[in-house]
Amino acid sequence: MSFMQPQSQTSRQTKATSAPRHSNIRNMLNLVLFGAPGSGKGTQSARLIDEFGLHHISTGEVLRDHINRETELGKIAQKYISEGQLIPDDLMISILEDVLEKNAEGKEGVIFDGFPRTIPQAEALKELLRKRGTDLHAVVGLEVPEEELVERMLNRGKETGRADDNLDTIKKRLDVYHNQTSPLRDYYTKDGIYLMINGSGVVDDIFNDIADKIEKTTGNKRKKK
Ligand code: AMP
């Protein structure tokens, strides 16, 4: 897999000095889509991958695929997911490493959707990217009030039949988010790469806000406006 740094850098210019440059890929862009469950990560990634030419890695989708195929990993994942708990870090990190190895070739970067969810996962991601001569360039933080999150997930549960979108599990997932995942907001703010996005409102408007902020902070351009 080949990675390189974006050409135009602002605040992160000083942080990414050790990464080698590869001239075969233009403006590599690695993003994390961050937010509570129900904040619209899946919806927004669909357009981001299209307009910025990115490869999409959703750890939730990877796990649901294992559950559907009834693999050994699927059986383990099912227990955690149905309880609204996180898959243990060691296991989740090795799954991510595997997916990253197999899938990111030839794209202009990766959008990580649902990973990292803990500080150790964030540290592991940094290291995985560093080993590949690249870095994380922006963390898109979708911020949505809690009542709206619950309503959205209940609706999604009715529409798609997603098993963990029931009120009991939703409450547990939100607790887990507050306790284990939300500290990453500060972590990435300190790193200078957190982009705060108001995730309430019209999907297109939210996308435009995200795309504008990515363009401004990374120098990468979307394909159409
Ligand atoms: P998602 O589709 O991202 O909402 O993920 C659904 C469920 O998969 C979560 O509630 C967790 O149980 C599990 N999961 C997904 N990504 C991770 C991760 N990075 N770390 C631990 N568990 C995860």
Side-chain angles (χ1 to χ4, degrees), residues 35-38 41-42 58-64 67 77-89 91-93 96 113-118 121 153 156 162 164-165 169 172-173 176 180-181:
K41 298 190 292 290
S58 156
T59 43
E61 275 174 22
V62 170
L63 297 169
R64 282 188 288 278
I67 293 172
Q78 168 99 57
K79 283 192 224 138
Y80 290 98
I81 293 180
S82 63
E83 285 297 310
Q85 299 301 319
L86 297 183
I87 275 65
D89 283 337
L91 179 57
M92 198 67 240
I93 290 163
L96 181 85
D113 164 1
F115 189 100
R117 269 175 148 101
T118 63
Q121 290 184 15
M153 283 188 273
R156 184 171 64 184
R162 189 171 143 169
D164 57 348
D165 281 339
T169 315
K172 288 182 193 150
R173 286 157 68 202
V176 166
Q180 299 185 58
T181 307

Side-chain angles (χ1 to χ4, degrees), residues 96-205:
L96 181 85
E97 190 165 10
D98 206 43
V99 175
L100 197 55
E101 241 359 281
K102 286 184 186 135
N103 289 300
E105 193 83 43
K107 290 284 180 177
E108 290 167 53
V110 177
I111 180 155
F112 297 93
D113 164 1
F115 189 100
R117 269 175 148 101
T118 63
I119 302 274
Q121 290 184 15
E123 297 285 348
L125 180 61
K126 203 178 267 184
E127 184 56 19
L128 283 174
L129 293 174
R130 193 196 61 77
K131 275 200 285 191
R132 288 163 175 77
T134 188
D135 206 352
L136 189 57
H137 303 120
V139 174
V140 175
L142 293 169
E143 306 202 352
V144 176
E146 186 131 339
E147 318 82 71
E148 202 175 322
L149 293 171
V150 175
E151 200 184 308
R152 285 186 190 182
M153 283 188 273
L154 287 174
N155 284 335
R156 184 171 64 184
K158 280 185 209 138
E159 281 162 20
T160 66
R162 189 171 143 169
D164 57 348
D165 281 339
N166 64 76
L167 195 56
D168 253 14
T169 315
I170 288 170
K171 284 184 180 155
K172 288 182 193 150
R173 286 157 68 202
L174 287 171
D175 276 350
V176 166
Y177 172 77
H178 290 304
N179 295 329
Q180 299 185 58
T181 307
S182 66
L184 289 173
R185 189 181 185 278
D186 277 356
Y187 176 93
Y188 285 124
T189 301
K190 281 190 194 119
D191 246 6
I193 57 170
Y194 186 81
L195 307 178
M196 192 175 80
I197 305 290
N198 175 359
S200 291
V202 181
V203 171
D204 278 357
D205 293 345

